[in-house]
Amino acid sequence: MVSVEKLDKGTYFEDAFKVSFKYDPTTVAKIKELAERRYLPDDRAWEIPAHELPNLVEKLGIHNINSNSGVMDALKTKEIEDKREATQERLRGIKPVVDFDFTTTPLPHQIEAFNYGMERDELLIGDEQGLGKTKESIDITVARKKELCKCLIVCGVNSVKYNWEAEIKTHSKEKSVMLDQKTMPLRVKALNEWLRGSEYYAIINIESLRNEAVQDAIYLGIKDGFIGCIIVDEIHKAKNGTSQQGKALRMLRSPVKIGLSGTPMNKAEDLWNILTWLGIEKRSFYSFRNCYCIMGGYGGYKVVGHKNLESLNAELNKVMIRRKKEEVLDLPPKIHSTEYVELSKKQQVLYRDIKNGIIADMENILASVNPLSCTLRLRQLTGGLFTEDNPKLERIMDMLAEEIIPNGYKAIIFSQWEQIASLYNEALQEYNPVYIVGKVSPEDRQKEVERFQNDPNCKLAIGTIGAMGTGLTLNKASYVFFIDKLWNSGENAQAEDRAHRIGTAGTVNVISMVAKGSVDEGVEEYLLENQDLFDRVVDGKGSKADIKTILNKLLKI
């Protein structure tokens, strides 16, 4: 890590910065590439003029520089402005390289990815979440359908398969098959049926690749010319080349390969397996590591630094396209998406028991003042109460650790229940969260808001929709998660607007966490398509038929 300190008055330059770091020949070489710099032997540091600061950032990377907040803000602002300007210039007037009837209209940066994918058989899309990696890869593979025959999608995170199923319906006219049968022999059978069938896409999770029969079926599908393309989503999950799924990935040698990941991969050693699968890295892991990693520690087996990174970046740039949200100005103010999870087996059993109890008491429920309250325990169960299992929390932790926090963003997490908010607050303490629920006084709420807005170490705001969903400004957040929602879409929109307010920088991603096959799906559907029916029932003005309609949908009766 390189430290940068603003000097009141430099020894050699009037407006100057001192650059210091633990001796590293690679960093010294980069410093010497600057047109103006002077060595300070007494300090064992370097002095550079202010106008060389952007060049220093370009050579070392913003993430390798440590300084006070004022200097860092200036550095980041300059870097963002330069990248945004370059991106906008690059995208101005861009058109698809081939005639293609897009099912959903692409934004300019999505056309750029489309063109990139039409010209390459190996592609790594590293766009941040919210920029449309899924749509981009669907457009590319549909446009190349005649040459590809079929496309297999491998999901690095199991629950993402439902997002793919929905996105394929949204962004194409193609059909898909879900390869998630309960046993591996059944998955192999379904895979072989797909190869003989008419559906273009098949979706499978990466864990299935550990099974040899699945590997063999895919290998034969490629060899016989049926599988022309493999998309691997969350490909960083297969970065370990010695793991079962990492080894299996390298065997999937389809003619066209597309990897997707919004996770910054800053360690050279994490790129070997991915670049090898893409076909542009031919060396063994040890040759690759020796080229790009500095080894040390006890026995010399630990990676303590990196070298020759210009060469690695050149290799990566042959296949990778990556844009950040802050660089792309054509995004809408808010992007809404759904993140599906699967209930654990314990949750499924308890869910079934609660649901059966509701059905058995339906006559009394229909006659009650607030009939929708019968779903309360089901909704709390999907949020993480009543069992130790919590798939929603696990998925959020995954997204925070691998993409949101490493990319420098903050997030808000909402629930309508304090019990659930408390559970998430306790589990996510590593991110120094603010916590705002009903029992927090107005004075303390404002203190928490100021901490979230101003403390770079405070990465999360967690609270209830009732306490944190109105009147507060939390516009340092770029992501808003809903563990559950109120029955009224207006109140939910008001909560998400805590992040999207005057002064918000860039697009806000609003993510609804939904347990597949549960009451969550019905709530989302009604909030989007039939809020009036909800309102009538919640206000006590709904007929018995209205109540039955809603409960049948929510409970999937």
Side-chain angles (χ1 to χ4, degrees):
M1 183 65 72
V2 175
S3 295
V4 176
E5 177 187 349
K6 182 74 172 73
L7 299 175
D8 293 333
K9 183 175 177 58
T11 304
Y12 299 100
F13 309 102
E14 187 169 339
D15 187 9
F17 289 85
K18 184 168 74 171
V19 181
S20 54
F21 50 91
K22 186 177 180 180
Y23 178 74
D24 170 53
T26 302
T27 306
V28 172
K30 289 180 184 295
I31 297 291
K32 288 184 176 179
E33 290 174 8
L34 298 175
E36 296 183 76
R37 83 280 172 190
R38 296 295 293 270
Y39 186 63
L40 305 173
D42 292 342
D43 296 332
R44 295 185 178 181
W46 294 81
E47 184 179 314
I48 65 171
H51 63 261
E52 286 283 15
L53 201 55
N55 298 326
L56 180 74
V57 174
E58 183 179 348
K59 293 182 183 302
L60 299 180
I62 190 73
H63 301 295
N64 294 317
I65 295 175
N66 180 38
S67 188
N68 63 50
S69 58
V71 173
M72 291 307 293
D73 288 345
L75 289 174
K76 288 177 181 176
T77 300
K78 180 71 169 79
E79 183 187 39
I80 290 168
E81 288 175 354
D82 289 347
K83 285 186 175 180
R84 183 184 295 135
E85 187 176 323
T87 301
Q88 293 310 303
E89 181 62 32
R90 193 175 70 242
L91 298 179
R92 190 172 289 118
I94 193 168
K95 289 181 170 43
V97 292
V98 297
D99 289 332
F100 178 63
D101 184 16
F102 292 93
T103 302
T104 54
T105 305
L107 296 169
H109 74 274
Q110 293 169 338
I111 294 176
E112 181 181 42
F114 177 80
N115 292 346
Y116 203 81
M118 294 302 294
E119 296 168 349
R120 289 167 175 78
D121 291 339
E122 296 85 22
L123 174 62
L124 181 59
I125 303 179
D127 289 344
E128 286 187 347
Q129 186 181 39
L131 294 189
K133 294 188 292 293
T134 306
K135 171 185 163 53
E136 291 164 356
S137 55
I138 289 170
D139 286 340
I140 292 166
T141 49
V142 172
R144 300 181 67 171
K145 182 180 178 181
K146 285 185 179 178
E147 65 174 285
L148 299 180
C149 188
K150 288 180 179 289
C151 178
L152 177 67
I153 299 163
V154 179
C155 297
V157 174
N158 183 49
S159 57
V160 172
K161 63 192 178 188
Y162 301 115
N163 297 72
W164 273 97
E165 188 176 45
E167 292 286 284
I168 288 169
K169 289 178 182 176
T170 299
H171 299 299
S172 80
K173 297 179 177 65
E174 301 298 333
K175 293 181 179 178
S176 63
V177 171
M178 190 79 76
L179 304 177
D180 63 348
Q181 290 70 25
K182 290 186 177 181
T183 67
M184 288 300 167
L186 288 176
R187 288 188 198 184
V188 172
K189 180 183 178 185
L191 201 161
N192 287 325
E193 289 173 353
W194 167 64
L195 293 174
R196 297 190 298 269
S198 60
E199 298 88 353
Y200 182 47
Y201 292 106
I203 306 165
I204 194 168
N205 66 14
I206 201 165
E207 289 82 6
S208 298
L209 301 186
R210 300 171 186 171
N211 182 272
E212 289 188 10
V214 172
Q215 292 176 25
D216 291 344
I218 296 173
Y219 172 80
L220 290 174
I222 296 169
K223 181 174 175 293
D224 294 340
F226 290 108
I227 303 176
C229 176
I230 291 178
I231 298 173
V232 182
D233 193 11
E234 308 271 3
I235 195 171
H236 55 275
K237 297 290 186 182
K239 66 187 179 185
N240 183 353
T242 62
S243 67
Q244 285 180 293
Q245 58 201 40
K247 291 176 181 177
L249 177 70
R250 297 198 300 275
M251 296 172 61
L252 307 182
R253 298 174 182 172
S254 56
V256 175
K257 308 175 194 72
I258 302 176
L260 309 180
S261 176
T263 299
M265 286 177 275
N266 299 321
K267 297 179 180 179
E269 58 271 29
D270 289 344
L271 288 167
W272 175 79
N273 201 49
I274 295 168
L275 293 177
T276 299
W277 174 65
L278 288 169
I280 62 167
E281 179 53 60
K282 307 297 183 184
R283 290 167 292 187
S284 71
F285 172 72
Y286 297 102
S287 296
F288 179 88
R289 191 183 66 180
N290 289 338
C291 180
Y292 298 121
C293 299
I294 300 171
M295 307 305 292
Y298 181 74
Y301 295 112
K302 183 179 179 182
V303 176
V304 296
H306 295 96
K307 58 186 178 179
N308 303 324
L309 294 184
E310 295 87 352
S311 174
L312 178 58
N313 284 331
E315 187 173 355
L316 192 56
N317 289 336
K318 292 177 184 177
V319 292
M320 185 174 185
I321 182 169
R322 175 170 169 80
R323 285 75 54 87
K324 300 189 74 175
K325 288 197 300 180
E326 61 202 19
E327 300 168 24
V328 180
L329 296 181
D330 52 25
L331 292 173
K334 289 192 282 189
I335 297 175
H336 291 83
S337 63
T338 302
E339 192 72 26
Y340 293 100
V341 300
E342 291 181 324
L343 294 176
S344 70
K345 290 182 179 178
K346 284 184 181 178
Q347 286 178 312
Q348 289 174 24
V349 171
L350 184 53
Y351 188 96
R352 182 194 62 209
D353 292 342
I354 296 171
K355 174 180 167 180
N356 288 341
I358 294 171
I359 294 171
D361 195 37
M362 188 61 73
E363 284 306 312
N364 291 327
I365 290 169
L366 293 174
S368 66
V369 176
N370 185 6
L372 295 185
S373 65
C374 71
T375 64
L376 183 144
R377 291 189 71 217
L378 291 178
R379 301 187 69 197
Q380 291 181 332
L381 172 65
T382 71
L385 294 186
F386 313 133
T387 73
E388 294 179 356
D389 302 333
N390 195 344
K392 288 185 181 180
L393 173 60
E394 290 172 7
R395 181 61 182 138
I396 288 176
M397 290 175 76
D398 194 38
M399 295 169 74
L400 288 172
E402 295 195 342
E403 185 162 353
I404 295 172
I405 304 301
N407 279 315
Y409 297 119
K410 295 189 177 190
I412 300 171
I413 298 176
F414 281 115
S415 172
Q416 60 182 304
W417 293 293
E418 186 173 325
Q419 294 163 284
I420 291 179
S422 174
L423 190 154
Y424 284 72
N425 180 49
E426 184 179 337
L428 297 168
Q429 280 298 305
E430 64 182 293
Y431 299 116
N432 194 21
V434 307
Y435 181 57
I436 300 176
V437 294
K439 63 185 179 184
V440 178
S441 69
E443 294 78 13
D444 288 340
R445 290 182 194 187
Q446 190 53 42
K447 288 178 183 176
E448 288 287 81
V449 168
E450 290 171 5
R451 187 162 69 88
F452 181 77
Q453 294 287 90
N454 300 316
D455 183 354
N457 295 315
C458 176
K459 304 295 186 182
L460 285 180
I462 301 172
T464 56
I465 298 173
M468 197 169 67
T470 57
L472 304 179
T473 296
L474 300 166
N475 61 6
K476 292 297 183 181
S478 298
Y479 290 81
V480 177
F481 289 96
F482 282 97
I483 306 304
D484 49 73
K485 290 182 178 176
L486 297 173
W487 299 117
N488 186 285
S489 58
E491 293 181 60
N492 297 321
Q494 194 173 45
E496 66 193 42
D497 280 341
R498 297 312 93 211
H500 185 259
R501 300 176 70 73
I502 294 171
T504 298
T507 296
V508 176
N509 283 68
V510 182
I511 303 171
S512 301
M513 302 301 297
V514 171
K516 193 68 178 173
S518 79
V519 63
D520 293 348
E521 290 184 302
V523 172
E524 283 296 303
E525 188 174 329
Y526 271 115
L527 287 173
L528 286 172
E529 300 175 6
N530 205 338
Q531 178 68 60
D532 290 343
L533 186 56
F534 259 165
D535 290 344
R536 284 203 304 272
V537 174
V538 172
D539 293 341
K541 298 175 182 177
S543 66
K544 206 167 185 177
D546 289 339
I547 299 168
K548 268 190 172 180
T549 298
I550 289 180
L551 290 178
N552 284 346
K553 171 70 83 174
L554 295 179
L555 301 173
K556 298 182 181 293
I557 299 175

